[in-house]
């Protein structure tokens, strides 16, 4: 047993995000609100944060409220009040005596265990592109044998994950939907976003959740090389700063590609091997990310998506596979100080028609991780509202 969700760290993370999104150093902020640099550092500490006083909370709201022409004093009183209320709530939670709750879910897992706070859990997957459903009678909702799941592009991942999350969180309201059917209530509890599918130029997911996931400030997207085949040539694009450190909105992009089976033709040229007219993956790539829900800082948003659906399934399986989930969870606990604010790009092995669970402790499985081992906190990015 351990203390309930560490709200003091959520408050510290929010205060740090406000300052970094505004491009301010701790020294500048300390001067503006009239405290020492050490005080700002203690408010934002990643190990032992000290919640600021109510007066300091109001000062943060005045400084970081939405502005007009860059002037803090031009922020509307309603915007300041809204930010004050949010920060005050986080402060109250941080000061509340810790409750004793289980460390693990009913199956003994940690990564997919959410229900200690009683909030609902929603799994949002990608809808199948309409052009893929043309001519499939059972995909028509008016057909007597209609199969609604045919329109769910990530149904393999949903089936794997839904049962597991229900088992780990027996008291939680768990449900799943597709991104084209999301409503506002689906986005304010714990959220798991799967996908995307479809053209690799897509952002993290479909349009209804695009705004939502963009607020995570993840510097990773699915891209397509110039002249590439939209069906089979997707890759991950990671934006980085001048030093090669991942950064949301970075001015340079690094690319990472899945690995395909290859063969040498009669002329000695290496090319992709095809089976039944289709190229065969050896490794897909997947992003696993977790951050506070931008619409509810007391809840989590988790993203699992691959360049292809194999990667999405592999990202989910990393923490459901009975043989490897404990080892993978142990790696995450040891590697990341804040297990509610990290991301990683991994390789997902594909053997013949089988998607194999990645062993995260194996260095080859990991391509990019954030935060860096010796780096600062999360990637910086523009303020989003």
């Amino acid at each position: 047993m351990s203390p309930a969700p560490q709200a003091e760290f959520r408050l510290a993370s929010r205060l740090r995000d406000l300052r970094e999104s505004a491009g301010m150093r701790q020294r500048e902020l300390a001067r503006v609100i009239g405290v020492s640099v050490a005080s700002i550092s203690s408010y934002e500490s990643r190990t032992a944060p000290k919640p600021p006083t109510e007066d300091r909370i109001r000062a943060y709201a005045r400084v970081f409220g939405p502005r007009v022409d860059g002037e803090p004093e031009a922020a509307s009183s309603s915007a300041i009040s809204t930010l004050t209320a949010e920060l005050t709530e986080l402060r109250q939670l941080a000061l509340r005596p810790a409750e004793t709750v289980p460390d693990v879910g009913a199956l003994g897992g940690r990564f997919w265990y959410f229900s200690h706070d009683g909030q609902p859990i929603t799994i949002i997957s990608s809808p199948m592109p309409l052009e893929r459903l043309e001519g499939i009678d059972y995909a028509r909702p008016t057909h007597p044998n209609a199969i609604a799941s045919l329109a769910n592009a990530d149904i393999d991942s949903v089936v794997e994950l839904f049962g597991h999350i229900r088992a780990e969180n027996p008291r939680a309201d768990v449900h799943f939907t597709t991104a084209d059917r999301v409503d506002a209530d689906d986005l304010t509890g714990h959220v798991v976003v799967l996908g995307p599918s479809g053209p690799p130029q897509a952002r993290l997911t479909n349009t209804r959740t695009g705004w939502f996931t963009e607020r995570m400030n993840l510097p990773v997207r699915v891209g397509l090389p110039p002249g590439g085949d939209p069906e089979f040539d997707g890759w991950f694009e990671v934006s980085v700063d001048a030093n090669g450190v991942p950064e949301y909105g970075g001015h340079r992009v690094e690319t990472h590609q899945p690995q395909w089976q290859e063969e040498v033709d009669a002329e000695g040229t290496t090319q992709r091997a095809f089976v039944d007219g289709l190229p065969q993956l050896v490794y897909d790539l997947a992003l696993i990310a977790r951050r506070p829900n931008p619409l509810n800082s007391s809840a989590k948003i988790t993203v699992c998506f691959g360049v292809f659906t194999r990667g999405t399934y592999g990202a989910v399986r990393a923490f459901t596979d009975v043989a490897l989930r404990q080892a993978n969870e142990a790696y995450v606990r040891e590697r990341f100080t804040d297990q509610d604010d990290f991301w990683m790009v991994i390789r997902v092995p594909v053997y013949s028609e089988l998607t194999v669970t990645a062993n995260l402790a194996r260095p080859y499985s990991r391509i990019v991780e954030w935060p860096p081992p010796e780096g600062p906190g999360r990637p910086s990015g523009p303020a989003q509202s």
Side-chain angles (χ1 to χ4, degrees):
M1 305 289 278
S2 70
Q6 301 178 53
E8 65 270 26
F9 290 106
R10 294 200 295 274
L11 174 61
S13 177
R14 180 67 171 123
L15 297 177
R16 186 167 60 249
D17 287 348
L18 288 170
R19 177 180 59 77
E20 293 180 347
S21 295
M24 295 182 70
R25 296 180 179 276
Q26 289 187 346
R27 186 175 301 279
E28 296 175 273
L29 179 57
R31 183 174 63 252
V32 170
I33 67 175
V35 299
S36 67
V37 176
S39 292
I40 299 296
S41 179
S42 71
Y43 301 158
E44 300 180 2
S45 172
R46 297 176 187 281
T47 55
K50 177 183 177 182
T53 64
E54 292 184 5
D55 287 343
R56 301 308 178 206
I57 288 292
R58 288 191 287 270
Y60 266 88
R62 289 194 297 272
V63 171
F64 297 114
R67 309 158 187 221
V68 177
D69 296 329
E71 297 298 327
E73 57 269 23
S76 70
S77 59
S78 62
I80 291 176
S81 297
T82 299
L83 183 55
T84 301
E86 177 197 348
L87 297 179
T88 298
E89 180 183 2
L90 285 175
R91 179 179 183 272
Q92 291 171 345
L93 290 171
L95 294 173
R96 183 178 300 170
E99 302 172 5
T100 301
V101 296
D103 277 330
V104 298
L107 299 179
R110 299 171 186 266
F111 190 82
W112 293 124
Y113 173 54
F114 301 97
S115 68
H116 47 65
D117 56 11
Q119 299 192 64
I121 305 167
T122 302
I123 302 168
I124 303 174
S125 55
S126 300
M128 182 71 72
L130 293 178
E131 62 271 18
R132 298 296 187 191
L133 298 175
E134 291 181 2
I136 302 176
D137 286 341
Y138 289 176
R140 296 163 54 192
T142 55
H143 196 287
N145 284 324
I147 302 174
S149 60
L150 287 175
N152 189 325
D154 298 302
I155 190 61
D156 289 350
S157 296
V158 171
V159 170
E160 175 72 23
L161 188 56
F162 179 70
H164 188 89
I165 289 182
R166 283 285 303 273
E168 287 281 32
N169 305 270
R171 297 184 179 181
D173 177 14
V174 185
H175 75 286
F176 62 87
T177 185
T178 50
D180 58 332
R181 298 181 178 180
V182 165
D183 61 37
D185 291 341
D186 294 325
L187 303 178
T188 53
H190 298 293
V191 179
V192 180
V193 179
L194 304 177
S197 62
Q201 304 96 308
R203 298 296 293 179
L204 294 186
T205 187
N206 299 274
T207 54
R208 289 202 179 183
T209 47
W211 178 94
F212 184 59
T213 50
E214 280 294 298
R215 268 61 190 174
M216 294 179 71
N217 286 0
L218 294 170
V220 185
R221 59 166 288 174
V222 180
L224 186 70
D229 180 348
E231 183 74 25
F232 300 121
D233 287 340
W235 59 16
F236 273 145
E237 297 177 351
V238 180
S239 59
V240 299
D241 64 15
N243 297 316
V245 177
E247 177 183 54
Y248 181 86
H251 65 283
R252 184 166 61 86
V253 171
E254 294 181 348
T255 60
H256 304 277
Q257 304 181 43
Q259 182 179 338
W260 300 90
Q261 289 185 21
E262 296 181 339
E263 62 183 5
V264 179
D265 62 18
E267 299 178 355
T269 302
T270 300
Q271 58 186 6
R272 289 182 186 174
F274 284 74
V275 176
D276 296 329
L278 297 171
Q280 301 297 296
L281 280 166
V282 177
Y283 287 95
D284 196 2
L285 305 185
L287 170 71
I288 300 172
R290 175 165 285 169
R291 283 196 168 156
N293 184 331
L295 300 181
N296 176 3
S297 57
S298 67
K300 305 171 187 175
I301 175 171
T302 306
V303 170
C304 295
F305 80 85
V307 175
F308 301 96
T309 57
R310 298 301 190 99
T312 301
Y313 184 70
V316 166
R317 286 278 295 172
F319 302 104
T320 64
D321 186 301
V322 67
L324 283 174
R325 70 185 184 216
Q326 289 186 343
N328 286 341
E329 288 181 352
Y331 175 79
V332 170
R333 289 197 306 274
E334 294 168 4
R335 170 63 180 81
F336 301 107
T337 302
D338 186 351
Q339 288 131 54
D340 291 339
D341 193 357
F342 77 95
W343 60 263
M344 59 197 311
V345 174
I346 67 170
R347 291 183 174 91
V348 175
V350 180
Y351 175 73
S352 184
E353 300 176 2
L354 303 176
T355 302
V356 183
T357 304
N359 180 352
L360 300 185
R362 181 187 178 210
Y364 186 75
S365 295
R366 310 186 306 270
I367 299 176
V368 189
E369 299 175 292
W370 185 269
E374 302 297 331
R378 56 186 297 175
S380 59
Q384 306 240 7
S385 60

